[in-house]
Amino acid sequence: MSTPSSAPSGASVTRQPYGRTADGQDVELFILTNASGMRVDVITYGATIVRLFTPDRDGRSADVVLGYDTLAGYEAGSCFFGATIGRFGNRIAGGRFTLNGETYELPINQVVEGRPCQLHGGPEGFHRQIWKATPRTGDGVAAVEMKHFSPDGHMGYPGNVSVTVIYRLLADNTLEVEFAGETDAPTPLNLTQHTYFNLGGPAAKPIVDHMVQIAAARYLAVDAGLIPEGPPAPVAATPFDFTAPHAVGERINEPGDQLARGEGYDHCWALDGVGGEMHPCAVAHDPASGRRLEVTTTEPGVQFYTGNHLPPEGEPGKSGVRYLPRTGFCLETQRFPDSPNRPDFPDTVALPGKPWRSRTRFKFTADE
């Protein structure tokens, strides 16, 4: 049974069961819609975006995010489709860091070229947790607020942490994602949203023809383990220069160690804007459908990932579709990878009495 709530403006939130996890926990689905007919579906497992419908240039609405048809798919999957990531998005080299003179060992869940790391908060990170949710409507906004408590020591991190993510679907077809975190002890915190987009629709084609522009004159080159190997480097005269729009596939197969290591783009760009203030991040456009995605954020970096590591045989997805490499892209707004081991990078340590905050907006439009 579904429970809708709505405002006179046409914004609504519908709440309904989504299933039960293998260990018996109930999961709920929240369907956010606005007066324009845009729709975003979010589940409490991993605070995950499972569907996002937005119109093309002809007004035809389609789901533009990768995912699974069932809860079991999200439980079994390892691609982080649509998930909220934490405590620490991206990689921490060696699965360890030192904070205030104490070294913390983290569970390893990725090894690249023989080099271990912890990826996206570990094997039981926030993407594997059940979040508590409350629907919200008002002022033309459909929203759901989700909360999670992470105890001291979970996945190796110090401190008890309470985190909140609010998904807001605005009247102008903008999805706003707001994160907040509070802790009782210093701890690294780097929350991000890991949706894979394909603006052409249900991953019908690779995203190599999508045009992308990133508001960044610098990016982080990586070593063989995909860990940043130095300070931000200029993108000028490299395949990483997206200061003007380029097709994803235009230079993705050019020779060079950086593209080879990521098997394409899997790097963090250091955005030109000031961290903590809302600033431009990226624009993606699908010429075939006319759909356009504009991203703005308070974060200093964005991980642009082109789905290179999806299985060669395809990841089983929605409606029998198999997601091949490069059939989706991510724009993960965040602090820099491996920051707990890099004092020269923007600080990621959350402190008691000082709430951690982040905000990103994904605005969807279409060509006239």
Side-chain angles (χ1 to χ4, degrees):
M1 177 178 293
S2 62
T3 304
S5 61
S6 62
S9 60
S12 68
V13 182
T14 300
R15 180 178 196 166
Q16 61 190 51
Y18 191 74
R20 183 169 292 176
T21 62
D23 63 356
Q25 299 183 79
D26 290 326
V27 174
E28 291 185 294
L29 168 70
F30 291 81
I31 301 173
L32 315 181
T33 58
N34 65 9
S36 301
M38 183 173 164
R39 169 180 157 183
V40 180
D41 294 5
V42 186
I43 59 173
T44 52
Y45 182 82
T48 298
I49 295 172
V50 297
R51 289 182 288 268
L52 191 156
F53 292 87
T54 189
D56 65 8
R57 64 163 59 88
D58 298 317
R60 294 173 299 196
S61 189
D63 182 8
V64 298
V65 303
L66 277 59
Y68 304 103
D69 286 326
T70 65
L71 175 59
Y74 288 98
E75 286 193 273
S78 59
C79 300
F80 305 96
F81 288 151
T84 291
I85 302 298
R87 290 189 189 187
F88 197 91
N90 220 305
R91 297 174 174 91
I92 295 180
R96 69 173 62 88
F97 64 89
T98 299
L99 179 61
N100 295 334
E102 184 170 349
T103 298
Y104 295 87
E105 299 286 343
L106 313 176
I108 299 296
N109 61 330
Q110 188 177 69
V111 179
V112 181
E113 295 294 325
R115 304 183 186 197
C117 70
Q118 186 182 89
L119 175 66
H120 293 334
E124 297 298 323
F126 291 177
H127 64 291
R128 297 291 190 196
Q129 307 305 312
I130 307 297
W131 295 58
K132 296 180 179 179
T134 305
R136 312 277 188 199
T137 56
D139 299 324
V141 177
V144 60
E145 178 182 89
M146 296 191 170
K147 294 181 176 293
H148 173 63
F149 175 75
S150 177
D152 179 37
H154 185 252
M155 290 291 99
Y157 292 91
N160 296 296
V161 172
S162 297
V163 292
T164 302
V165 56
I166 304 175
Y167 291 107
R168 297 186 183 95
L169 179 56
L170 310 184
D172 66 350
N173 286 2
T174 294
L175 175 64
E176 181 177 83
V177 182
E178 182 176 352
F179 291 115
E182 296 185 357
T183 181
D184 62 1
T187 189
L189 200 58
N190 187 26
L191 308 181
T192 190
Q193 222 297 320
H194 205 286
T195 289
Y196 291 65
F197 297 100
N198 185 318
L199 299 178
K205 296 196 311 183
I207 45 84
V208 292
D209 292 332
H210 281 47
M211 302 295 293
V212 170
Q213 184 171 10
I214 301 175
R218 300 173 302 152
Y219 82 110
L220 292 171
V222 296
D223 63 19
L226 300 180
I227 302 296
E229 61 182 358
V235 299
T238 78
F240 295 84
D241 188 351
F242 284 91
T243 54
H246 287 274
V248 170
E250 179 182 339
R251 301 163 297 172
I252 199 169
N253 294 317
E254 287 190 5
D257 61 354
Q258 287 304 305
L259 289 173
R261 288 169 180 174
E263 300 179 33
Y265 299 109
D266 188 10
H267 297 71
C268 185
W269 272 252
L271 296 172
D272 295 336
V274 177
E277 299 178 5
M278 189 64 73
H279 53 263
C281 172
V283 178
H285 176 238
D286 173 36
S289 68
R291 292 188 183 90
R292 183 182 303 271
L293 168 60
E294 179 182 355
V295 183
T296 54
T297 188
T298 58
E299 291 300 278
V302 62
Q303 187 85 5
F304 177 44
Y305 172 52
T306 47
N308 318 301
H309 309 307
L310 292 172
E313 69 279 8
E315 177 75 5
K318 301 172 188 173
S319 302
V321 172
R322 297 191 77 90
Y323 302 132
L324 297 171
R326 301 179 185 170
T327 51
F329 68 92
C330 302
L331 291 165
E332 306 160 52
T333 55
Q334 59 187 249
R335 317 291 156 91
F336 295 171
D338 202 33
S339 290
N341 295 311
R342 293 292 299 269
D344 54 319
F345 283 179
D347 187 21
T348 62
V349 177
L351 300 172
K354 186 179 179 181
W356 186 101
R357 299 192 184 280
S358 168
R359 187 159 49 103
T360 296
R361 287 179 173 172
F362 300 90
K363 183 174 182 178
F364 295 87
T365 57
D367 299 339
E368 296 292 334

